[in-house]
Amino acid sequence: MSGSKNRPLWCQLRASTRAAVEQLIGGSVVHARNCSGGYSPGFASLLTLMDGRQVFVKAMDAERWPVDAAYHRVEAKVSAALPATVPAPRLLGTLDDDDWVVLAFEAIDGVEPCQPWNDTDLHRVVTAIVRLGQVATPSPIALPRDHPRLGGWTEVARDDAQLAELARHSTWAMDHIAQLIRLESDGVAAARGDSLVHFDLSPHNILLTPNRVMFIDWPHARLGASAVDLIMILSSADDRIDRDSILNTNADLEPQAVDAILAAHAGFQLRGGVSPKPLGLEAIAAIDLRLGLAALSWLHRRLSTR
């Protein structure tokens, strides 16, 4: 179940918060449609103003969700710095009053890619990722070089409860966890680079319009190897898709480097999937688990053919 099912509605926000948002976006809201995609617990809605304009607004209660509010603050800085060559919604303004962190973006009339992937959507997205790698190498903006969204097997191996949960979903991972730990260490090194990398490029962070592919939600952007985004999106496809052929056509990486990055990605996602989550964030654990198992399945197939 999407975390958006529990998101607050426009009418449920405090009057003072609604007034502050309307001042930020420069108009009175006459209609609000909550967005169905995504997994965060914050407010996310397409707002229609009295003058007919539409604005996408996302907001986080900083007291209730401090970690997620911090992500919003980082996303505001990254989004403000992104050049027009990066296919991302333009940031229109921000508000941070310590109670709520609010980001206003241009409205994109798009939909998430079809899931499971179909060939048409996947081809469009892969093409857009390759183009992003071209315009974002070297990165047009300053970003950290650390990779907090890679790796997790070491932490899982140290936690009996997480190991027990992992065993429910993958006996192969349990039997090969020492190998996975070695691979993820190499993966962090293989992911280094000077490109702008989204680092959270999952289907729910992509919008397709009739003529554009837009990448949304940028709080985890880092400097890295441009192929990381491509590996992450291909890992979300199932075994019907020839992921290796697509990757080899669009990226020049040694097979061992692909294995290592894929292992580090799967480790991060599965650690999130098997770790306890606070009430209200269960949907994030569910999507972490699904994406982690998909990445692990691809890695298993790759390693079993050698």
Side-chain angles (χ1 to χ4, degrees), residues 118-138:
N118 61 42
D119 290 338
T120 300
D121 284 0
L122 186 58
H123 175 74
R124 289 187 66 193
V125 170
V126 166
T127 300
I129 292 172
V130 172
R131 288 175 181 163
L132 174 63
Q134 293 167 348
V135 302
T137 304

Side-chain angles (χ1 to χ4, degrees), residues 74-288:
V74 174
E75 182 180 1
K77 293 179 181 178
V78 174
S79 297
L82 290 176
T85 51
V86 173
R90 299 303 107 195
L91 180 70
L92 303 178
T94 63
L95 168 69
D96 187 349
D97 63 2
D98 293 328
D99 290 327
W100 284 83
V101 183
V102 182
L103 284 68
F105 290 93
E106 66 170 320
I108 304 297
D109 186 15
V111 297
E112 293 180 13
C114 181
Q115 295 298 298
W117 285 100
N118 61 42
D119 290 338
T120 300
D121 284 0
L122 186 58
H123 175 74
R124 289 187 66 193
V125 170
V126 166
T127 300
I129 292 172
V130 172
R131 288 175 181 163
L132 174 63
Q134 293 167 348
V135 302
T137 304
S139 174
I141 65 175
L143 289 168
R145 290 186 177 274
D146 64 324
H147 294 156
R149 294 183 67 84
L150 287 179
W153 295 113
T154 300
E155 290 77 8
V156 171
R158 292 172 178 163
D159 190 301
D160 291 341
Q162 292 181 31
L163 276 175
E165 184 65 15
L166 176 65
R168 295 180 55 238
H169 301 284
S170 176
T171 56
W172 183 84
M174 291 292 295
D175 293 340
H176 293 81
I177 198 159
Q179 180 184 15
L180 291 168
I181 290 172
R182 291 193 298 271
L183 277 173
E184 76 174 4
S185 177
D186 294 338
V188 173
R192 294 175 185 145
D194 294 313
S195 299
L196 164 64
V197 181
H198 185 284
F199 260 104
D200 191 20
L201 212 49
S202 302
H204 57 269
N205 284 333
I206 298 171
L207 289 177
L208 304 180
T209 76
N211 54 14
R212 294 190 296 174
V213 176
M214 302 293 283
F215 302 131
I216 63 174
D217 293 351
W218 287 82
H220 306 296
R222 291 291 191 277
L223 295 182
S226 61
V228 169
D229 279 342
L230 184 57
I231 291 171
M232 286 186 174
I233 206 63
L234 288 175
S235 75
S236 68
D238 59 37
D239 292 340
R240 296 177 301 105
I241 303 291
D242 188 351
R243 295 159 292 197
D244 290 303
S245 177
I246 296 172
L247 180 63
N248 293 337
T249 301
N250 292 283
D252 183 19
L253 279 179
E254 292 294 327
Q256 293 80 6
V258 176
D259 295 343
I261 294 172
L262 190 53
H265 171 54
F268 174 81
Q269 297 285 182
L270 282 172
R271 185 191 179 201
V274 300
S275 302
K277 287 288 187 293
L279 188 64
L281 299 182
E282 300 90 344
I284 295 178
I287 190 61
D288 280 347

